[in-house]
Amino acid sequence: MSSIIPILLSVIAAALLVMLLMVLSGRKSNMQGGQKTPKAKNRNALIKDCTKKLAYDPRNINALTALGDLYYGEKNYEKALPLYASLFGMIKFHPEINPVTIPLRFGVCSYKQKKLDEALQGFAEALKNDSKNYEANLYMSRLMFEKKDFERALLCARRAAAVDPESTEAQKILGNSLYALKKYKECLPHLKKVIDVNPADKEALFYIASAMEDTGMADKALKIFMHLRSDPTFGAQSCIAAGTIHDKMRQSDKAVLDYEIALKLENILPETRLTIYYKLAQAYLAQQNIAKALQYLKQIQALTPSYKDVNALVSRYQELNQNSNLQSYLMAGTSEFVALCRKFVSAYYHDAFVKIEDIITNADSVDVLCSVETSRWEDTELFRFFRTTGAIGELYIRDFHSKMRDTKVDRGFCLTAGSYTSEAQKYVEGRPIDLLEKQKLITILKKVDMNH
């Protein structure tokens, strides 16, 4: 008996080994695709069964629901949509159809397929039956934001956030909608919650920076905009925003850098490129680099000749670029402008002794009081230099005439790089005032040597 036991144990062990090898072999063949998994079998069987039922009865609610749920779970919204559309169309006549889930899923599938009007119908029906449904409110808020109905987007996002206060998606739509409604301070807490969860969310960062700029926190906004300058989506707008802030700070060199970074980005929209060119031109003008400014103005002119005031700027600055004294007259700092005015007064007369008695800097002009002595006459005269290319009106000339009476001068001269209105010209008739317009100004400026 004792000799039989070892034999039996050996037989049992061998049988177990064979069974184990068979199991492992079966698993391997399944892994290699030799056989379908039970899950795949069930899926295929479900599709076959539902398709068969729908071929016989296209309005079979159970088959439509089962097949729709399968595709929806797989995120195959294209195949799920017609199934839920059929169910949605029958919902009024079949109380067994879920009045929230089916409209919601019909809406989601439509939304994913860019059929926004159908999506709106689905979400509206779901919310009619359950106004606090989180998913329906969230999707409706997204849809309303895309349609630029920011008030409704805000309402739905608030409902979604009330159900799930930790929802980053709801907080983001809340923040973006409030920003779009120009409620900049209110949007910031919501967008900051988004960043707390996902610091890499560039869209939220961009809106935070924009809101900060609009609420007087330009220094903080600038740091974020500069951080976003290389971003492929928000980089161009961030460069423009950073450059605009630097322009306001009178840091034109940094503004130029911002705009030039933008031009290196790929896929810039044509209108954005025009904005960058225009901003660059303005920044270079602030540096009195007219040649560089003209380069960008002419690029705009070549692309869109009617863009803003580009034609007028090109005409104006081409002339300035060719006349350094006229450029100084209109663009130089106060001290250089005053020095030019002094030189102009001296150059105005031939064979005369001119003595500058006083120089007064006004908000929009400079007055030079001088005495002039020639071999035939002596006068006390007052020159007023207007730094503008526009038209000088009568009120300015009346003010100048009053100044002449106060200082008791014999004669007055008004000079401008622009023109005078007909009322101003009529006012000086019979009065000892000469009005010198742009061409006369340029003629005399050509005689002025600023190097001596």
Side-chain angles (χ1 to χ4, degrees), residues 123-222:
F123 299 143
E125 182 67 21
L127 289 170
K128 184 176 77 173
N129 295 299
D130 182 5
S131 62
K132 295 181 180 179
N133 185 281
Y134 167 77
E135 195 174 1
N137 274 302
L138 185 66
Y139 270 103
M140 182 65 99
S141 66
R142 287 180 186 169
L143 179 56
M144 290 297 102
F145 189 85
E146 289 181 26
K147 285 180 169 288
K148 301 189 185 301
D149 188 344
F150 303 120
E151 290 286 359
R152 288 184 69 186
L154 184 61
L155 173 65
C156 294
R158 279 180 171 153
R159 286 177 180 169
V163 177
D164 183 4
E166 302 302 316
S167 169
T168 303
E169 292 181 88
Q171 293 295 334
K172 186 170 184 177
I173 298 173
L174 267 172
N176 290 355
S177 298
L178 286 165
Y179 179 83
L181 292 167
K182 298 184 179 181
K183 297 180 180 181
Y184 303 121
K185 286 185 179 179
E186 293 178 47
C187 80
L188 282 170
H190 300 288
L191 293 173
K192 286 178 179 177
K193 287 181 181 178
V194 177
I195 294 301
D196 288 342
V197 175
N198 182 13
D201 191 317
K202 303 299 178 62
E203 182 183 39
L205 277 172
F206 180 77
Y207 278 118
I208 285 173
S210 300
M212 284 179 168
E213 182 185 7
D214 289 318
T215 52
M217 294 183 280
D219 53 338
K220 293 182 179 179
L222 181 59

